[in-house]
């Protein structure tokens, strides 16, 4: 048991294993030491370090953020004093991706803009681009020389397969982008309160990676000096041991499967109740959240009449749904939407 | 894989040179000489030079691991409530009127560093009188960085008198007197890093009176509570003097050294306000600073602290271990002083036993420090600061030899 300070860049072991998850076990970028990485305070901390880094070294740049996104994204880049723009993402009519709008915004953004992308299991909508769409997005972003920054908070948690969930990132790497990634173990390892994450930036070569890492450390230093030791110890112990890693992969799949099961159950229940609306989006969407399409007024009714608590944008956290309550939930949703 | 076209957007970025202290630590670890001393570190070590995991901490870790009712869910943005409550009690005293009157806001932060940064950001945003922070000359190397990062200006006040190896009290009072009204003043609660020089209690009273009369805002850094006298309450007296007069202040607390929890990053930021109403608003605003930085603080270290502080036996056990650490530091000071005296090393070395806490400003100059590094494999910072925790009874003679040589050879 050792509680000594970690180096400023964090736990070397944890960071190594974490990069393998994102970039691929045998990634040549790892071999060539082209990735500048620091341990961060979960995904939030990684995003903040990147935002501060962007402000310091590309002070004239702005960040394009999807509509909608996790609320704290706006706070992070605002506190880092990086100007924000938005890009189209969610299509309320289809409850799916506004692909045309997204592509348009990529094309219209000034060359060399920074784009924040959710790697998988978009929060709050649950709407992810398909593989084909990701290839298009990558192509368009490359064409305009934009910088792609991925927030990957749900790897493994979306499909149950970490490799599959990293597909978007792998497409961008294939296409030759130099990307940045924020990774978090909050959900996929249940380490929420431990604040374990990683910020990585793919550089041109090892020399640049060393320089960039030194600058990232320089930003972390006046924030908290060095990151916490306990959470990463758990991560590196699990990922560094084949048996434990396998056990973790099984548990991640179980979590993802439970969520997928609840999506299916909720949709089926609503269809059985004879809902006049389409609930296809419930199973099309992926990850923890479902943008149900309910209005704030309908949500208020759910809360006041049925004691069901969710955010007024209609976002349902599927993790709150269980076999014990799914029927009750379906019934309540049906009640407030049947005359819609 | 397609090659990337065009330069990286970060191709122009220069490499940051390693912090000199860290570079020195690397050099120390690579040094093959069997008799080498690391006196540059900022951590406590046993007399065998090993890291010290407190027994009470080890006990608590086992309890936590076996407790099936614990989860690792997110803490609130302000951290663990019990931890916050107990931390405020620890620094302000169990019977503090400020606590009883609900005038204290405490948020869990990432050790002293995190507390300083959050406090600095909060002041930059909400403290409208002055945006300048006065800090002692010298002070802990990282102090300016926290406040700079928050956009505050830094000035210094005289503190250390190399002539006496003691406090330049007159200089300190003069500089604080001429500070603009409303300026923020950073004060180290006890065991000053790097000098080892603390004001006496009467001096603290004078400092307090002067500061209050000028409306200077006190920002305390408490990283060594218990390390001076071995008594937790005694070492908090400077802070308690200020709080007792009913005025406001900010306090950054660290559990890194005093509970040996370094890498867990456990600390607390307390803001003592005039009224409970203000304290409540302050808390809500602190959340807005913390959320876009890391959302909520790490749970593990705080769990350990709370478990210890809330249990009377464990708290007792902890205070005994703190006293033992403090006693060992005092013993090393005594042994080094005696060794130099017995060798007849020229100069007055009494400051070694007058100084308090982990560090002492030895009075050695950079040339002498370099000489000692070269010839005796002593690693310490060039300002002459020695970490007494880096010494053991076996190694004191070697250091005494080195100092003696450096001073007599006329380097």
């Amino acid at each position: 048991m050792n509680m000594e300070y970690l180096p400023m860049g964090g736990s070397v072991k944890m960071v190594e294993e974490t990069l393998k998850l994102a970039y691929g076990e045998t990634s040549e970028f790892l071999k060539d030491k082209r990735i500048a990485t620091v341990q961060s305070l979960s995904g939030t901390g990684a995003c903040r370090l990147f935002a501060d880094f962007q402000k310091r070294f590309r002070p004239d740049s702005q960040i394009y953020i999807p509509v909608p996104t996790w609320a704290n994204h706006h706070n992070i880049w605002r506190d880092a004093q990086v100007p924000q723009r938005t890009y189209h993402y969610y299509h309320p009519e289809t409850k799916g991706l506004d692909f045309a709008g997204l592509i348009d915004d990529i094309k219209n953004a000034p060359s060399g803009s920074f784009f924040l992308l959710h790697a998988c299991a978009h929060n709050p909508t649950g709407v992810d681009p398909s593989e084909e769409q990701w290839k298009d997005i990558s192509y368009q972003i490359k064409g305009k020389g934009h910088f792609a920054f991925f927030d990957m908070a749900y790897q493994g948690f979306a499909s149950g397969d970490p490799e599959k969930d990293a597909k978007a990132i792998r497409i961008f790497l294939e296409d030759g982008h130099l990307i940045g990634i924020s990774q978090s173990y909050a959900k996929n390892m249940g380490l929420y309160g431990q604040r374990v994450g990683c910020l990585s930036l793919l550089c041109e070569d090892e020399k640049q990676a060393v320089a960039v890492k030194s600058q990232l450390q320089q930003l972390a230093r006046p924030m908290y000096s060095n990151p916490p030791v306990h959470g990463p110890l758990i991560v590196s112990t699990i990922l560094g041991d084949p048996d434990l890693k396998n056990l973790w992969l099984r548990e991640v799949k179980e979590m993802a499967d439970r969520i997928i099961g609840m999506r299916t159950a909720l949709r089926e229940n609503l269809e059985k109740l004879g809902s006049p609306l389409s609930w296809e989006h419930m199973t099309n969407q992926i990850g923890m959240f479902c943008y149900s399409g309910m209005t704030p007024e309908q949500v208020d009714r759910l809360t006041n009449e049925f004691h069901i608590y969710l955010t007024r944008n209609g976002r349902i956290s599927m993790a709150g749904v269980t076999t014990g309550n799914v029927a009750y939930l379906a019934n309540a949703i049906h009640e407030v939407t049947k005359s819609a | 894989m397609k090659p990337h076209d065009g330069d990286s957007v970060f191709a122009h970025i220069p490499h940051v040179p390693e912090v000199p202290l860290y570079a020195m630590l690397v050099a120390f670890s690579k040094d093959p000489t069997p008799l080498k001393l690391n006196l540059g570190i900022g951590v406590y070590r046993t007399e065998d030079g090993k890291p010290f995991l407190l027994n009470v901490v080890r006990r608590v870790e086992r309890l936590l691991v076996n407790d099936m009712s614990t989860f690792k869910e997110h803490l609130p943005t302000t951290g663990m409530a019990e931890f916050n409550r107990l931390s405020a009690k620890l620094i302000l005293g169990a019977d503090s009127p400020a606590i009883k009157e609900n005038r204290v806001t405490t948020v869990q932060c990432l050790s002293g560093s995190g507390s300083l940064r959050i406090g600095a950001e909060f002041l930059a945003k909400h403290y409208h009188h002055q945006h300048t922070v006065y800090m002692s000359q010298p002070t802990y190397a990282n102090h300016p960085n926290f406040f700079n990062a928050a956009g505050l200006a830094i000035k210094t006040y005289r503190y250390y008198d190399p002539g006496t190896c003691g406090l330049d009290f007159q200089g300190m009072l003069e500089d604080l007197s001429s500070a603009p009204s409303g300026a923020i003043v950073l004060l180290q609660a006890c065991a000053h890093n790097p000098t080892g020089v603390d004001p006496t209690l009467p001096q603290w009273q004078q400092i307090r009176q002067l500061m209050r009369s000028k409306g200077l805002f006190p920002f305390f850094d408490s990283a060594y509570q218990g390390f001076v006298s071995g008594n937790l309450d005694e070492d908090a007296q400077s802070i308690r003097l200020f709080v007792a007069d009913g005025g406001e202040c900010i306090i950054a607390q660290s559990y890194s050294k005093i509970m040996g929890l370094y890498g867990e990053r456990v600390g607390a930021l307390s803001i003592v306000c005039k009224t409970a109403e203000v304290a409540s608003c302050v808390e809500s605003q602190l959340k807005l600073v913390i959320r876009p930085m890391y959302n909520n603080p790490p749970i593990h270290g705080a769990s350990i602290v709370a478990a210890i502080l809330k249990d009377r036996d464990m708290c007792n056990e902890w205070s005994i271990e703190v006293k033992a650490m403090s006693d060992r530091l005092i013993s090393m000071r005594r042994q080094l002083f005696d060794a130099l005296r017995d060798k007849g090393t020229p100069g007055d070395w009494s400051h070694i036993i007058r100084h308090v806490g982990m560090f002492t400003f030895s009075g050695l100059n950079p040339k002498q420090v370099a000489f000692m590094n070269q010839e005796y494999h002593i690693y310490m910072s060039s300002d002459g600061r020695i970490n007494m925790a880096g010494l053991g009874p076996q190694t004191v003679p070697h250091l005494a030899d080195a100092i003696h040589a450096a001073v007599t050879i006329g380097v």
Side-chain angles (χ1 to χ4, degrees):
Chain A
M1 237 189 281
N2 180 359
M3 289 173 182
E4 295 280 284
Y5 292 128
L6 281 176
M8 263 191 286
S11 156
V12 170
K13 262 185 98 186
M14 188 276 282
V15 151
E16 243 169 51
E17 292 296 334
T18 304
L19 292 181
K20 281 193 217 161
L21 277 181
Y23 293 82
E25 191 88 24
T26 53
S27 164
E28 69 195 64
F29 304 121
L30 283 163
K31 289 201 192 77
D32 297 341
K33 302 200 177 144
R34 282 177 51 190
I35 309 175
T37 326
V38 291
Q39 177 186 334
S40 63
L41 294 166
S42 208
T44 310
C47 286
R48 176 55 181 268
L49 276 181
F50 179 76
D52 281 349
F53 180 79
Q54 181 185 353
K55 174 69 185 178
R56 181 169 284 183
F57 294 106
R58 297 300 299 220
D60 299 329
S61 69
Q62 54 215 14
I63 185 84
Y64 278 77
I65 296 186
V67 179
T69 193
W70 178 49
N72 210 17
H73 277 147
H74 293 291
N75 299 332
I76 290 168
W77 267 270
R78 181 206 60 220
D79 271 24
Q81 293 170 48
V82 174
Q84 303 176 26
R85 300 271 181 283
T86 56
Y87 63 88
H88 287 85
Y89 191 84
Y90 180 69
H91 203 230
E93 287 77 40
T94 58
K95 301 188 187 55
L97 184 66
D98 181 358
F99 186 60
L102 201 175
I103 294 294
D104 261 347
D105 286 342
I106 290 174
K107 285 186 179 155
N108 293 331
S111 294
S113 295
F114 283 63
F115 271 75
L116 170 68
L117 304 161
H118 295 225
C120 64
H122 182 270
N123 176 5
T125 67
V127 170
D128 282 354
S130 66
E131 199 174 311
E132 280 315 303
Q133 288 173 325
W134 272 122
K135 289 188 173 137
D136 257 329
I137 293 167
S138 166
Y139 177 77
Q140 296 296 341
I141 285 185
K142 191 111 192 282
K144 295 276 323 204
H146 294 325
F147 183 93
F149 182 73
F150 284 95
D151 184 352
M152 183 156 68
Y154 297 99
Q155 188 183 11
F157 204 88
S159 68
D161 177 359
E163 280 299 293
K164 199 160 167 221
D165 289 348
K167 193 67 200 176
I169 286 175
R170 304 289 170 83
I171 287 170
F172 273 65
L173 293 173
E174 268 286 327
D175 290 349
H177 294 264
L178 295 175
I179 59 175
I181 308 177
S182 153
Q183 286 171 268
S184 166
Y185 286 101
K187 290 90 179 166
N188 64 12
M189 236 184 238
L191 294 178
Y192 303 91
Q194 299 285 349
R195 320 310 290 131
V196 205
C198 197
L199 168 65
S200 61
L201 292 173
L202 178 60
C203 302
E204 287 170 340
D205 52 41
E206 186 180 345
K207 181 154 174 261
Q208 192 187 76
V210 168
V212 167
K213 180 182 162 150
S214 73
Q215 294 289 355
L216 291 175
Q217 287 177 178
Q218 191 75 331
L219 287 162
R221 194 169 177 232
M223 223 186 261
Y224 45 83
S225 282
N226 41 77
V229 68
H230 191 79
L233 190 54
I234 298 174
V235 174
S236 60
T237 305
I238 291 173
L239 297 183
D241 176 303
D243 289 335
L244 287 175
K245 183 170 179 180
N246 274 339
L247 176 56
W248 170 61
L249 289 170
R250 281 207 304 277
E251 290 194 275
V252 162
K253 183 157 195 330
E254 267 171 33
M255 287 194 285
D257 283 348
R258 192 183 89 68
I259 300 285
I260 291 168
M262 287 301 101
R263 287 181 177 278
T264 307
L266 185 55
R267 176 183 167 180
E268 279 174 0
N269 269 266
L270 282 162
E271 285 167 353
K272 264 205 210 95
L273 286 166
S275 171
L277 305 171
S278 163
W279 297 98
E280 223 181 292
H281 55 285
M282 209 156 257
T283 46
N284 285 341
Q285 290 168 4
I286 193 166
M288 210 185 310
F289 302 112
C290 165
Y291 240 33
S292 62
M294 286 187 285
T295 65
E297 293 71 37
Q298 289 167 335
V299 169
D300 287 343
R301 280 192 64 196
L302 279 182
T303 308
N304 297 329
E305 295 173 35
F306 295 92
H307 311 284
I308 294 170
Y309 293 79
L310 61 156
T311 45
R312 291 184 89 236
N313 54 11
R315 182 191 81 165
I316 298 175
S317 168
M318 297 308 296
V321 183
T322 67
T323 50
N325 64 26
V326 64
Y328 178 79
L329 176 61
N331 185 59
I333 293 177
H334 181 58
E335 280 302 306
V336 308
T337 58
K338 62 187 179 186
S339 45
Chain B
M1 196 145 325
K2 299 182 195 145
H4 67 92
D5 329 303
D7 281 342
S8 157
V9 296
F10 302 117
H12 60 292
I13 284 173
H15 186 263
V16 178
E18 190 61 278
V19 174
L21 191 63
Y22 291 9
M24 186 199 75
L25 299 183
V26 171
F28 172 81
S29 61
K30 294 199 172 130
D31 187 333
T33 317
L35 190 49
K36 55 181 179 174
L37 278 184
N38 187 351
L39 304 177
I41 41 158
V43 299
Y44 180 83
R45 287 274 179 275
T46 63
E47 65 177 31
D48 303 314
K50 299 252 173 6
F52 180 46
L53 184 64
L54 276 67
N55 289 322
V56 70
V57 169
R58 193 185 294 272
R59 253 214 294 154
V60 167
E61 286 267 59
R62 291 218 175 91
L63 288 172
L64 287 175
V65 128
N66 289 321
D67 183 355
M68 294 304 281
S69 72
T70 56
F71 294 101
K72 294 189 188 292
E73 296 277 290
H74 288 304
L75 284 176
T77 297
T78 48
M80 188 183 288
E82 195 175 45
F83 166 86
N84 291 336
R85 201 179 39 84
L86 292 164
S87 294
K89 233 178 83 172
L90 176 65
I91 194 69
L92 298 176
D95 48 6
S96 164
I99 294 179
K100 288 206 180 83
E101 292 157 21
N102 291 317
R103 295 192 284 114
V104 183
T105 286
T106 309
V107 294
Q108 179 189 338
C109 294
L110 277 95
S111 205
S113 300
S115 305
L116 286 161
R117 175 62 179 273
I118 299 294
E121 292 284 347
F122 178 81
L123 290 174
K125 226 174 159 187
H126 299 289
Y127 183 75
H128 299 302
H129 299 278
Q130 283 284 332
H131 273 194
T132 307
V133 182
Y134 281 74
M135 42 190 78
S136 64
Q137 175 70 271
T139 193
Y140 164 49
N142 214 12
H143 270 154
N145 297 330
F146 304 115
F147 296 95
N148 273 329
L152 297 168
I154 313 286
K155 286 213 152 73
T156 58
Y157 54 86
R158 279 171 283 169
Y159 191 81
Y160 181 71
D161 181 354
T164 60
C165 292
L167 183 65
D168 178 0
F169 191 48
Q170 269 318 110
M172 181 177 180
L173 291 181
E174 271 168 32
D175 288 349
L176 292 182
S177 279
S178 50
S181 176
I184 301 157
V185 179
L186 182 64
L187 303 159
Q188 295 194 34
C190 70
H192 187 269
N193 175 5
T195 66
V197 171
D198 281 355
T200 62
L201 266 186
Q203 287 174 328
W204 273 119
Q205 276 290 19
Q206 274 191 266
I207 294 166
R208 182 194 63 79
Q209 274 157 2
L210 172 61
M211 284 183 60
R212 293 309 195 193
S213 72
K214 293 225 52 176
L216 300 174
F217 193 85
F219 195 140
F220 281 99
D221 184 356
S222 172
Y224 300 100
Q225 186 183 2
F227 263 48
V228 171
S229 66
N231 180 295
L232 295 159
D233 288 317
E234 216 173 292
D235 287 359
Q237 281 314 309
S238 60
I239 292 176
R240 296 186 189 179
L241 274 180
F242 276 74
V243 174
D245 69 13
E248 300 180 313
C249 64
I250 287 192
I251 306 159
Q253 265 173 288
S254 167
Y255 287 94
S256 289
K257 286 90 179 171
I258 67 176
M259 238 185 235
L261 294 176
Y262 305 93
E264 302 290 347
R265 319 310 291 126
V266 209
L269 177 72
S270 286
I271 304 188
V272 181
C273 310
K274 278 274 166 67
T275 67
E277 223 170 43
V278 169
S280 170
C281 282
V282 162
E283 185 184 77
S284 67
Q285 289 289 347
L286 282 169
K287 287 190 210 171
L288 294 188
V289 173
I290 295 170
R291 217 170 263 140
M293 225 186 257
Y294 52 84
N295 225 342
N296 43 79
I299 191 173
H300 193 73
S303 311
I304 297 174
V305 173
I308 292 173
L309 293 184
K310 76 179 186 195
D311 178 292
R312 203 202 322 229
D313 288 336
M314 286 208 262
C315 202
N316 255 352
E317 199 184 319
W318 170 56
S319 60
I320 291 170
E321 290 195 85
V322 168
K323 181 149 195 335
M325 287 193 279
S326 166
D327 284 349
R328 194 178 100 63
L329 295 172
I330 293 170
S331 165
M332 288 304 99
R333 291 179 179 283
R334 186 84 236 172
Q335 289 186 28
L336 180 59
F337 172 75
D338 287 348
L340 291 169
R341 184 203 53 202
D342 294 345
K343 293 178 85 70
T345 305
D348 177 3
W349 299 97
S350 61
H351 54 280
I352 293 177
I353 45 179
R354 271 187 285 118
H355 290 171
V356 292
M358 204 149 58
F359 302 112
T360 206
F361 245 20
S362 59
L364 296 160
N365 63 46
K367 280 216 180 86
Q368 290 166 328
V369 169
F371 168 83
M372 286 165 58
N373 179 250
Q374 186 90 318
E375 304 298 325
Y376 288 82
H377 304 273
I378 310 274
Y379 292 76
M380 52 191 274
S381 40
S382 57
D383 58 7
R385 183 190 82 165
I386 293 177
N387 181 354
M388 301 309 295
L391 285 171
Q394 323 291 357
T395 52
V396 163
H398 182 67
L399 178 59
D401 286 344
I403 294 176
H404 187 88
V407 165
T408 50
I409 283 174
V411 175

